[in-house]
Amino acid sequence: MATGTHIKTFYEGSWHEGDISVIKAADHGAWLGTTVFDGARLFDGLSPDLKAHCARINRSAKALMITPTVETADMVEMVREGLKSYPTDAAVYIRPMYWALAGDELGIVPLKDATGFAISLEQIPMAAPDAATTLTRTRFRRPVLEDNVVNAKAGCLYPNNARMMVEARAKGFGNALVADAMGNVAESASANVFMVKDGEVFTPIPNGTFLAGITRARHMSNMRADGIKVHETVLSFDDFHAADEVFLSGNMMKVTPVKAFDDTQYQIGPMTRRVREMYWDWAASDRG
């Protein structure tokens, strides 16, 4: 089921109107979950870090033993061609995808050079600057490389994220603040996380349990260029209770303020607003 509207699909060499069928029942990706994707955004006529997102899906494919078939530069051009049909003020979610078509003699290991590819474009609005969420804890944790493909943006990781969010929503919260295998904070169920304390910014250090996102890296670069101290470090849940501000960082909405973590309340503070402002300024200057 689609999340947005005005969907276009690139498949087998051309663009098609609508959400067309691309995966067959016997495809390896359909029954064994060998799928990877990435997400970029078009907003205000801008598609920031599009090349980085297209490059990452090729890395994700290799991590899941799927042979990538489209060069990064070619994928960027495919996306740009598809975006031409959207209004200049449209906000579009850009989703390239690979999946394995066939497996070995046991059906388990993806065959080399047997790869499906598609790009889905969906018109999905950007959130308002003050659209905030709330966080709570969850019993579910982020996996490690030894038991899952945490080095890929893989579809098979998302059922774990979904059960985190279902548990959080059942408790009356919008999202979950999630622990790694050691019990330290990793990220939220859907995005990377930052906290602010005494004018400095802190984010969990990448430890192989979560993808350190492209948008996360962009925020860190922007903040450091602005003279803000940013620390990648081990953070506990108590650290987040003691924070002055908390915000999430992800491709879908770029910056999402957090107004509560369990019974701890936050304001949408000056750092959160500044990070969002810097991202939009950078995107306008980069022009995609």
Side-chain angles (χ1 to χ4, degrees):
M1 186 179 93
T3 301
T5 59
H6 190 183
I7 298 173
K8 290 178 67 73
T9 308
F10 183 91
Y11 181 59
E12 294 187 337
S14 61
W15 281 102
H16 307 267
E17 291 294 333
D19 187 19
I20 69 167
S21 298
V22 297
I23 297 180
K24 298 176 182 178
D27 283 0
H28 197 272
W31 67 290
L32 288 178
T34 43
T35 67
V36 294
F37 73 99
D38 217 289
R41 268 298 211 169
L42 173 75
F43 60 89
D44 299 340
L46 309 168
S47 50
D49 278 325
L50 176 59
K51 181 179 179 181
H53 285 284
C54 291
R56 186 171 66 178
I57 191 177
N58 284 342
R59 296 195 301 272
S60 291
K62 292 175 182 178
L64 207 62
M65 297 172 288
I66 303 170
T67 306
T69 57
V70 182
E71 295 291 335
T72 297
D74 294 336
M75 198 181 306
V76 169
E77 288 308 308
M78 292 172 187
V79 170
R80 294 200 188 283
E81 182 64 29
L83 291 173
K84 288 179 181 178
S85 66
Y86 287 86
T88 55
D89 61 347
V92 179
Y93 185 57
I94 302 162
R95 185 173 54 244
M97 298 172 284
Y98 285 121
W99 62 97
L101 294 173
D104 65 359
E105 62 277 5
L106 295 178
I108 296 174
V109 179
L111 287 184
K112 185 178 180 181
D113 298 320
T115 307
F117 173 75
I119 303 170
S120 178
L121 303 179
E122 283 189 78
Q123 201 163 328
I124 301 176
M126 298 294 290
D130 58 351
T133 191
T134 56
L135 300 175
T136 188
R137 294 186 63 165
T138 173
R139 61 190 154 144
F140 303 114
R141 295 193 179 191
R142 298 299 306 171
V144 295
L145 185 61
E146 287 76 11
D147 60 42
N148 223 313
V149 284
V150 291
N151 57 337
K153 195 168 178 66
C156 59
L157 295 170
Y158 279 76
N160 193 39
N161 297 359
R163 61 183 185 168
M164 294 169 186
M165 295 192 78
V166 167
E167 185 176 53
R169 289 171 181 175
K171 293 164 64 177
F173 294 84
N175 207 323
L177 193 60
V178 181
D180 61 18
M182 299 297 293
N184 299 307
V185 173
E187 59 175 349
S188 79
S190 62
N192 296 140
V193 67
F194 290 86
M195 54 164 274
V196 183
K197 183 68 176 177
D198 298 329
E200 299 184 11
V201 178
F202 301 81
T203 191
I205 189 167
N207 61 2
T209 67
F210 64 94
L211 279 180
I214 292 167
T215 305
R216 172 187 181 273
R218 184 61 59 194
H219 289 324
M220 292 172 64
S221 175
N222 288 344
M223 285 188 282
R224 285 169 173 158
D226 200 50
I228 299 166
K229 290 185 178 179
V230 184
H231 309 273
E232 293 180 281
T233 188
V234 176
L235 294 170
S236 69
F237 289 99
D238 286 343
D239 290 326
F240 278 82
H241 281 299
D244 301 321
E245 302 174 42
V246 175
F247 62 91
L248 306 183
S249 158
N251 167 68
M252 182 64 84
M253 299 304 175
K254 305 306 180 184
V255 178
T256 301
V258 174
K259 60 183 180 182
F261 169 39
D262 286 332
D263 57 356
T264 299
Q265 304 294 312
Y266 311 106
Q267 298 295 316
I268 302 176
M271 187 68 75
T272 302
R273 296 185 188 279
R274 178 64 182 144
V275 169
R276 188 182 193 281
E277 177 185 300
M278 286 191 293
Y279 185 87
W280 257 253
D281 287 347
W282 167 80
S285 66
D286 181 75
R287 303 305 301 181

